[in-house]
Structures are given as structure tokens and as C-alpha cells.
Amino acid sequence: MPPDAPLPPAAAPAVPPGSATPHGGQAATGGPVPPGGYPAAGGPAPSSSPVSPGGHATPGSPVPPGSPVPPGGHVHPGASTSADGQVPPGTPVPPVGQNPHGAQVSHGGQAPHGDHVPPGTPGAPGNPGTPDPSHPAPPSAGQSSGVRFDRPAEPDEYSLQAPDPRVAAEAVGGKVCVACRAGRVDDDGYCENCGHAQPRERDHMEQEAGPIAAVSDRGLRHHRNEDAFGIGSTALPDGGPALVAIVCDGVSSATRPDDASLAASRAASRSLLAALPQGTHPQQAMHEAIVAASHAVNALAQEPATAREHAPHQNAPACTLVGAIVTAGLLIVGWVGDSRVYWVPADRSSPPARLTEDDSWAAQMVAAGLMNEAEAYADDRAHAITGWLGADAYELEPHTAAFKPDRPGVVVVCTDGLWNYAEAAEEMAEALPLDASVRPLHSARVLVGHALDGGGHDNVTVAVVPFPAPAQGAGSA
């Protein structure tokens, strides 16, 4: 067809419910709204377009005669309109029955990716009077639209937009979107360019502190990570090393559970790292650390942020806590709630053990002899906790215990997001890598992966603490 050949008029297509437009359903700025599409930012819809308030095309509304919709029912990205709302001469428009990406309508009346072309739409196969895309009809006498068909077809896919160096330069001190790699991230965590929600800092956290390591992950079902941890190492007055691990799990039914777990983990770890070098006995230091964590969580209930977020069905900020201190020949554990500590021998020559008892409904039923452990933990009430840190806790009862293992091993400190998938000590030992004592970070990652592979229904947090070979004469756990 010679250039500038006029095009026969196309029938005005109806707007099928749920129809989409190329490039995310946006018309060009200032251009008309295509069927089912949305006007681009800053691009007002013309008054003649069937657009409801808010910029949405009304499902099933026909495009009025004279609307600037080219053959095929789509406005090509980048097309503009003249003052009278018509497509100006020279504007490239894809052939009828073909979208701007060059993808042809299939013989079954389906557009690529399952977008159905309804009967009556120009370009739909088997439609009487529909021009054949491969054989454009000759121009009618006296018509001159100025539309050209010599534009090459566009590719089906486009590569990811490269970062704009100007935006990257302006975003110094801020964040660049992980999706489009071009837009800045606003204070609410969304890209100003593509609107993509950015990963939160606490969605996945890892830390190493000497021979100890911890990993926390949001999991696969929760919208945020309400777990937190604190790890560190210090020296005792005699110069011996002391390793500290604190893991907290926010109570989801409470207000600000993520803030509660973070406040508790920070307060407890700071308390331990300050008390141990001063000569405080590790078991007493653990008790005091739990009390300090409780005060930190209680203080959240008085903050304005809690009042703003509080709902009638929610309790005050609350969380559980579990911790471990490892020194030469001594292992101290402390807890409130249902997070746990496991002991796994390094050579697996002796059986592993769980070192904590849950503050939970299931544990109470087992302790009272009303159910065995299998029956209790199969009950829907099993994970209802009976002890926690928070302003509305019935009574703070920190639990502490001391052990003297007679061989080297690994201490696993974790939330129920992990032990739900390795509840028995033998299951936890099987999931823990054999080289955990020399590769704690790798082992923590493996345990978190074990929970995610099992379904990841909850936040998952674990700290892996190696226990050194004790001196001669130590007792057993």
C-alpha cells in the first residue's frame, strides 16, 4: 500500500468488561481513554469518552461516534490527538486485529495472555465485514485519514528499564526501587515511579557476632516480620568469653507486636552485655534481662503511636522472649512464652533435648496430665500462650535454668515459626547441619529454609550458638 493511503472507517467497538489496553492499560497523556483503560497521570479524558468519574471506562459502554479510536479499538502508546479530538495525520496506528506489540489475535478469538476479543469487535475472526489484517481494504473514494501502515511491528516483550543515572544521582541518601530500578522510594515504602511496594528492612535479617549467628524471616503468609533478635559476645571478669542470644516473637493479636519484639530484644541483650562483664552470675543476669525487656514493652503502651493504632479487639503491645547465655562449661536459658531452646550435641553421639517448657495451653494440659503431648498440640488451642511480656500480662514470671553439658554442641534458640516444623528435639537435630558449630550463619539459614519449605506459615527466627568443649569434671545436661 502506498504511503499516506486513506483507511476505510472502522466500526466503533464496544468496551467489553475487563478489557485491557497495552502497556498496563494507559492511554497516552492527553489522549482518549481506550476501552477498559485508564487515563495516564496528567492525561484528562475527553468529554466524549465513556469514562466514569475516577477515570475508569464504563464496562459495556460503546465508544461514541467520532471518538478518536483507531482501527482495532486501541490507541497506540505515544499517539496524540488534534484539537478536535481526532487522530492527526501521520500518527502510526497498528493494523486492525493487531495490538501495538505486534501480537496477532488468535483464530479462537483470543488475544495474547488470554484477553478475549468479543464478537463484534473489529479484528475478531469470523466477524462478517471485518477487514483481514493481512489484506487491508482499499481506500474509499474521497477519504484521506493520513494513517500509515509502514511502521514495523513492535516486539512482544520489552527488556527491564535500565536505571536512569539522573534519578540514581538524585537518590543519593535515599533508596532506588528494586523493581524498576529507576524510581525513588517514598517514606511509605513505595516507588514514586512504578508504585511497587519495597521490601521492609525486617522482612529478612541476618547477623553474625563472632561465633554466634541469627537469621529472621517474614515467612510466606504474614505481611510483616513481628520477630526480633539480639546477639552479642562479651568477656567475663576472669577473661572468659560469654555468648548471648535473645529471640522475641510479637503477639499478633496485640497492638504493635513488631515494636514489642524489637524493644524486648534490644533491652534484654543490652542488659546481659552490661551485667556479665561486671561479674553478675549468668542466671541472675538472665532474670534481670527478662525484667528489663518487660519494662521496655510495658512502656510502649503509654506511647501515642499505640493509642493511634489500638483497636477495640487488641491488647497492649506484647511479645514472648527466649534467651541463652553460653560460657565455659555453663549454659543458661531463660524464657517467657512459647519460644524455645534446643540442645544438639556436636557429634550427635547422645540424644538432643529441649531445654524450655512452653507457657501455653497445650503445655498446661500435659503438665496437668489431662492430655498427652500429641493430643494437646493437635488441639486448636495448643498455641494459646499463658505467659508473655506486656502491660496486660497477668503476672511476670521469668523462667531460668542452668545446664552443664559434658560435651561440645550447638544451642538453637528459636520462635515457634521454626519449631512448628521441627517440634521434637530429634527433628530439630535432623534439620540442623552437622557443621553447625563452625558454620553458625549457614546453619541458621538452613533452619529458616526448613521452615519456609514446610509452608512458612509464621515469621521464622533462629539463633545458633556453639557450645565449646567443657573442662574436665563438668556435669551433664
Side-chain angles (χ1 to χ4, degrees), residues 267-365:
S269 56
R270 280 198 302 261
S271 177
L272 288 174
L273 294 174
L276 293 173
Q278 296 176 1
T280 306
H281 189 276
Q283 191 164 358
Q284 178 63 28
M286 178 62 77
H287 180 94
E288 293 174 358
I290 296 175
V291 172
S294 176
H295 291 162
V297 178
N298 292 350
L300 295 177
Q302 308 302 322
E303 294 183 357
T306 301
R308 287 195 301 269
E309 296 184 23
H310 183 74
H313 67 281
Q314 290 180 316
N315 299 320
C319 69
T320 68
L321 181 148
V322 65
I325 303 172
V326 169
T327 65
L330 182 64
L331 168 60
I332 302 295
V333 299
W335 73 97
V336 174
D338 62 349
S339 294
R340 294 179 175 181
V341 176
Y342 290 86
W343 161 258
V344 181
D347 59 2
R348 313 298 167 94
S349 59
S350 60
R354 173 156 62 94
L355 306 182
T356 55
E357 293 293 336
D358 300 343
D359 287 325
S360 68
W361 180 91
Q364 285 189 343
M365 294 299 102

Side-chain angles (χ1 to χ4, degrees), residues 201-209 212-218 225-232 244-250 258-270 319-323 413-415 441 444 448 460-465:
E201 181 180 357
R202 289 179 62 179
D203 282 357
H204 185 87
M205 301 179 291
E206 298 184 355
Q207 184 183 349
E208 275 188 303
I212 184 174
V215 175
S216 181
D217 193 270
R218 184 185 68 182
N225 189 358
E226 297 171 356
D227 289 356
F229 64 81
I231 60 174
V244 171
I246 296 291
V247 169
C248 298
D249 182 357
D258 52 335
D259 292 337
S261 63
L262 185 62
S265 63
R266 287 177 173 175
S269 56
R270 280 198 302 261
C319 69
T320 68
L321 181 148
V322 65
V413 186
C414 66
T415 61
L441 180 58
V448 169
V460 188
T461 302
V462 59
V464 176
V465 190

